[in-house]
Amino acid sequence: MNSSARAFWLRSPGHGELRDVTLAAPGEGEVLVRSLYSGVSRGTETLVFRGGVPESQHAVMRAPFQEGEFPGPVKYGYLNVGVVEDGPDGLIGRTVFCLYPHQTRYVVPVNAVTVVPERVPPARAVLAGTVETAVNALWDAAPLVGDRIAVIGGGMVGCSVAALLARFPGVRLQLVDADPARAKTAEALGIGFAAPEDALGDCDLVVHASATEQGLTRALELLAPEGTVLELSWYGDRRIALPLGEAFHSRRLTVRSSQVGTVSPAARAGRSYADRLALALDLLADPALDALITGESAFEELPEVLPKLASGEIPALCHRVRYADIR
């Protein structure tokens, strides 16, 4: 028996709308999920909303259950928490995370959902996709006990990385951002904060997530000799310049990329995407991570809310979307 749902679509860059969807009944090996919450990752999703995905990256940037094509119309998103309403007996009634766009109900294969641990509130579990990115970044970065570390860029990804780094023993850690309001987030996460000009130098590792040329330049300046910048920023179709003359070579600095699309080769052999996501959900038992959710609105408000998130009128790390209990 078919059922109905509603989904958020980007009709064209800068313009979103809600569309009606007809869902087929789940077949063998599938589940029907009713959304409780979804999350807007302000960096990537607002870049998509503005139409800033370069043509060369259209395939790489596809979300797992994306419909349509960039720049639009496209249904895009990847932070969804819901309750299984139909499917295998062992999953009915369970709260699950799925890399699904903003939609009231959806049908996906069983292996596309991950059960949320009971100790993790569903409202916090929307952060799983971003914490998963942070896990992969730290597998790539391989920080050591006692390292001197800066995280530049207090957005959703930067704060997630910093929150995990705060658990490493003996590290000297600062969250660095040009916005003094991020000091409150850093405090909630138990991390030191500094403006770019006041950040401590001589770093073994700098994780860069500000998506600005100035931030990446400052990251290089903060490194100790032989230090590494791990670049997490997504610049879309923008080109940036870097000072790779000066002391870059004599100090033997490294700039390396990290991207969640591939499980870090530095992870233990055999670690899968499912293992990585399950670990991210387990880490979300820490209530301090609630600091990364900075706003909430109803699903029906998304066409009005996303332009404000994209313009910065609504400042946000992760903006949570709540769904009515539609049955």
Side-chain angles (χ1 to χ4, degrees), residues 32-46:
L32 170 65
V33 179
R34 172 173 53 86
S35 296
L36 297 174
Y37 300 98
S38 58
V40 179
S41 179
R42 185 173 178 269
T44 303
E45 284 200 60
T46 59

Side-chain angles (χ1 to χ4, degrees), residues 151 174-179 183 186 192-200:
V151 177
Q174 282 190 318
L175 180 67
V176 180
D177 200 285
D179 182 0
F193 176 83
E197 62 273 16
D198 299 325
L200 296 173

Side-chain angles (χ1 to χ4, degrees), residues 284-311:
L284 280 165
D286 185 352
L289 290 165
D290 284 331
L292 305 185
I293 298 170
T294 51
E296 183 177 286
S297 59
F299 167 73
E300 292 78 12
E301 298 172 320
L302 265 178
E304 292 75 42
V305 167
L306 254 169
K308 295 177 181 178
L309 289 169
S311 69

